[in-house]
């Protein structure tokens, strides 16, 4: 009866936190009020708290000594059009991730821990740069294990199931600029039309062929050229590229081909084409030990029959920079089934809120299991 009462109270707290965060979204590197809100909860519940003078994000910690088991939640929202208005919007589930990790704190705060539990509330995942900043701050330098969580769309797994690892692909976002000279619409021979240069760039990208056994894609996602005067041939334009690959090696090969093709087209058309990387998200580096512990936790909470195999997705997450930059770290990310639809990043994304408690219980069980086994 006591356990049931605690579970109901915990569910109410987690839902309350989720609703607050859902209705107070903030975009990358501007999560100021989100940081303050989370820091206050951490302090109220006995955590040692660390914030940073030069960036958003907050760290909480309970327990003492080794091992150090960390759990990470991303805290930023997307900027997108929702019902005709551009605004911050939690359409990627980061509000749920924060609520679940705070639920883990509530579950563990009164337990006698055999080590340290560190709660990492990381900014700017959507920019692909937040994890690198947290690594720079040293937040995982002494950590032994790191767990993350991400809601999964209904197209992957249903509510009531979970996977112990998400094998994200690499993602790179490139901003480009074509620079030439404008010309009169009646004299196309005097200039290179930036729109035609852009069209050639799209054709070149579509003509790149790499290892067909590895999923990859590259596409132009924005292009701006010309103005209100339709009798001017635009010499300059700006554009954006979204590049994806299941492996870091294919990503490097893909970018090299794009850079070489852009240089060739610039010379052919007599313009300059500049490419600048806006974000660079690495592919997952799986760890079998962390994955096994998380699988055991899923079995304990949902049952063996509801453990799903590794989720392979070309979507990216900067979570994997933690292990790439700190190879000693054993990390994995929980893929949580929650009947999420229509899909991640859809402005009207919804999911089954009952999954929040599944996530809390799985992460809590994984952390306790990791602390116990590491001290044996």
């Amino acid at each position: 009866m006591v356990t049931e009462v605690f579970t109901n109270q915990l569910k109410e707290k987690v839902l309350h936190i989720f609703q607050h965060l859902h209705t107070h979204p903030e975009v990358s590197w501007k999560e100021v009020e989100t940081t303050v809100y989370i820091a206050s909860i951490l302090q109220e519940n006995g955590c040692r708290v660390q914030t940073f003078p030069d960036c958003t994000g907050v760290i909480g910690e309970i327990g003492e000594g080794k091992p150090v088991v960390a759990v990470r939640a991303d805290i930023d929202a997307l900027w997108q059009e929702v019902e005709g208005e551009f605004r911050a919007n939690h359409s990627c589930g980061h509000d749920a991730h924060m609520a679940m990790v705070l639920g883990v704190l509530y579950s563990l705060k009164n337990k006698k821990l055999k080590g340290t539990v560190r709660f990492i509330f990381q900014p700017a995942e959507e920019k692909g740069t937040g994890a690198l900043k947290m690594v720079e701050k040293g937040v995982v330098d002494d950590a032994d294990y790191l767990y993350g969580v991400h809601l999964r769309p209904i197209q992957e797994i249903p509510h009531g199931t979970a996977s112990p690892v998400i094998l994200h692909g690499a993602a790179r976002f490139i901003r480009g600029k074509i620079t030439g000279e404008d010309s009169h619409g009646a004299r196309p021979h005097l200039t290179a039309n930036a729109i035609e240069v852009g069209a050639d760039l799209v054709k070149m990208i579509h003509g790149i062929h790499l290892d067909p056994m590895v999923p990859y894609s590259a596409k132009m996602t924005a292009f701006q050229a010309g103005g209100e005067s339709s009798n001017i041939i635009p010499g300059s334009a700006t554009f954006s590229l979204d590049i994806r690959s299941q492996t870091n090696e294919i990503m490097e090969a893909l970018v090299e081909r794009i850079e070489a093709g852009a240089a060739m087209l610039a010379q052919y058309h007599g313009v300059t084409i500049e490419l600048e990387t806006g974000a660079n998200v690495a592919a997952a580096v799986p760890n079998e030990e962390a994955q096994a512990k998380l699988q055991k936790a899923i079995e304990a909470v949902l049952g063996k029959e509801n453990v799903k195999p590794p989720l392979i997705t070309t979507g990216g997450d900067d979570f994997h920079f933690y292990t790439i930059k700190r190879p000693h770290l054993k990390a994995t990310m929980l893929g949580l089934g929650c009947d999420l639809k229509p899909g991640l990043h859809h402005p009207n994304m919804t999911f089954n809120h009952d999954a929040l408690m599944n996530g809390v219980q799985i992460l809590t069980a994984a952390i306790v299991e990791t602390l116990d086994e590491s001290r044996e």
Side-chain angles (χ1 to χ4, degrees):
M1 183 64 180
V2 174
T3 302
E4 183 178 346
V5 171
F6 173 78
T7 300
N8 290 335
Q9 291 175 341
L10 177 59
K11 184 177 181 179
E12 289 181 8
K13 288 180 179 178
V14 170
L15 283 171
H16 175 77
I17 291 169
F18 168 76
Q19 293 295 346
H20 174 87
L21 293 167
H22 184 74
T23 55
H24 294 81
E26 295 177 299
V27 296
S28 304
W29 296 123
K30 297 181 180 179
E31 314 95 327
V32 176
E33 294 304 319
T34 303
T35 297
V36 171
Y37 176 75
I38 294 172
S40 67
I41 294 176
L42 295 174
Q43 290 167 343
E44 290 167 4
N45 288 277
C47 286
R48 301 180 292 277
V49 177
Q50 179 185 8
T51 55
F52 309 99
D54 61 338
C55 69
T56 47
V58 56
I59 311 299
E61 195 173 270
I62 57 175
E64 299 286 348
K66 298 286 275 183
V68 177
V69 180
V71 58
R72 171 268 209 175
D74 28 20
I75 70 174
D76 55 331
L78 289 157
W79 182 260
Q80 64 183 158
E81 186 176 1
V82 183
E83 298 177 353
E85 176 190 4
F86 277 92
R87 61 179 176 84
N89 187 40
H90 274 302
S91 58
C92 202
H94 296 184
D95 44 2
H97 304 165
M98 291 182 274
M100 284 187 276
V101 171
L102 287 170
V104 174
L105 168 61
Y106 287 123
S107 300
L108 293 176
K109 68 174 185 175
N110 294 320
K111 293 184 181 292
K112 187 174 181 180
L113 302 173
K114 300 177 181 179
T116 302
V117 179
R118 182 171 299 150
F119 304 94
I120 301 172
F121 292 90
Q122 176 212 301
E125 186 279 327
E126 297 295 352
K127 295 292 187 183
T129 51
L132 290 170
K133 188 69 171 181
M134 293 296 99
V135 170
E136 177 188 311
K137 297 295 183 182
V139 304
V140 293
D141 284 358
D142 62 342
D144 301 286
Y145 286 84
L146 173 66
Y147 295 107
V149 59
H150 207 299
L151 304 181
R152 303 317 300 164
I154 195 170
Q155 295 90 345
E156 290 184 357
I157 55 175
H159 174 65
T161 68
S163 170
V165 60
I166 305 175
L167 299 175
H168 286 103
R172 194 168 300 187
F173 312 116
I174 293 178
R175 293 186 294 269
K177 184 177 181 181
I178 300 167
T179 304
E181 294 182 348
D182 291 354
S183 179
H184 194 288
R187 300 173 180 83
H189 61 292
L190 296 180
T191 192
N193 188 329
I195 297 173
E196 294 175 357
V197 177
D200 283 350
L201 187 59
V202 170
K203 291 178 185 177
M204 180 274 294
I205 291 172
H206 285 175
I208 295 174
H209 299 291
L210 300 172
D211 186 349
M213 300 304 292
V214 180
Y216 65 89
S217 70
K219 75 291 294 182
M220 187 175 288
T221 54
F223 191 88
Q224 294 85 32
E228 295 184 5
S229 299
S230 58
N231 62 344
I232 296 176
I233 298 172
S236 299
T238 60
F239 59 90
S240 297
L241 302 177
D242 178 296
I243 307 170
R244 309 273 173 166
S245 168
Q246 199 59 53
T247 69
N248 294 315
E249 293 75 18
I250 290 294
M251 172 59 74
E252 293 307 319
L254 191 53
V255 171
E256 285 180 10
R257 295 283 290 274
I258 290 172
E259 290 176 342
M264 178 270 294
L265 288 174
Q267 183 177 15
Y268 175 78
H269 286 286
V271 298
T272 62
I273 301 179
E274 302 170 70
L275 302 177
E276 178 185 1
T277 299
N280 177 18
V281 179
V285 180
N287 180 271
E288 291 184 0
E289 288 184 55
Q291 186 176 330
K293 288 177 169 55
L294 191 53
Q295 178 167 333
K296 190 173 181 180
I298 297 170
E299 292 173 357
V301 175
L302 301 179
K304 286 186 178 182
E305 69 278 10
N306 290 313
V307 177
K308 293 296 184 179
L311 293 174
I312 301 174
T313 172
T314 50
D317 196 299
D318 72 352
F319 177 85
H320 307 294
F321 277 128
Y322 289 106
T323 47
I324 289 173
K325 296 297 183 180
R326 297 294 181 267
H328 74 277
L329 192 61
K330 300 171 183 178
T332 193
M333 178 177 280
L334 171 67
L336 188 64
C338 58
D339 286 350
L340 184 153
K341 53 190 176 183
L344 292 167
H345 290 206
H346 189 283
N348 299 314
M349 181 273 279
T350 62
F351 68 97
N352 188 331
H353 294 174
D354 289 341
L356 292 169
M357 285 304 296
N358 289 345
V360 170
Q361 292 170 344
I362 293 168
L363 290 171
T364 300
I367 291 169
V368 171
E369 177 77 14
T370 304
L371 290 173
D372 288 346
E373 285 192 2
S374 299
R375 289 291 294 269
E376 289 178 357

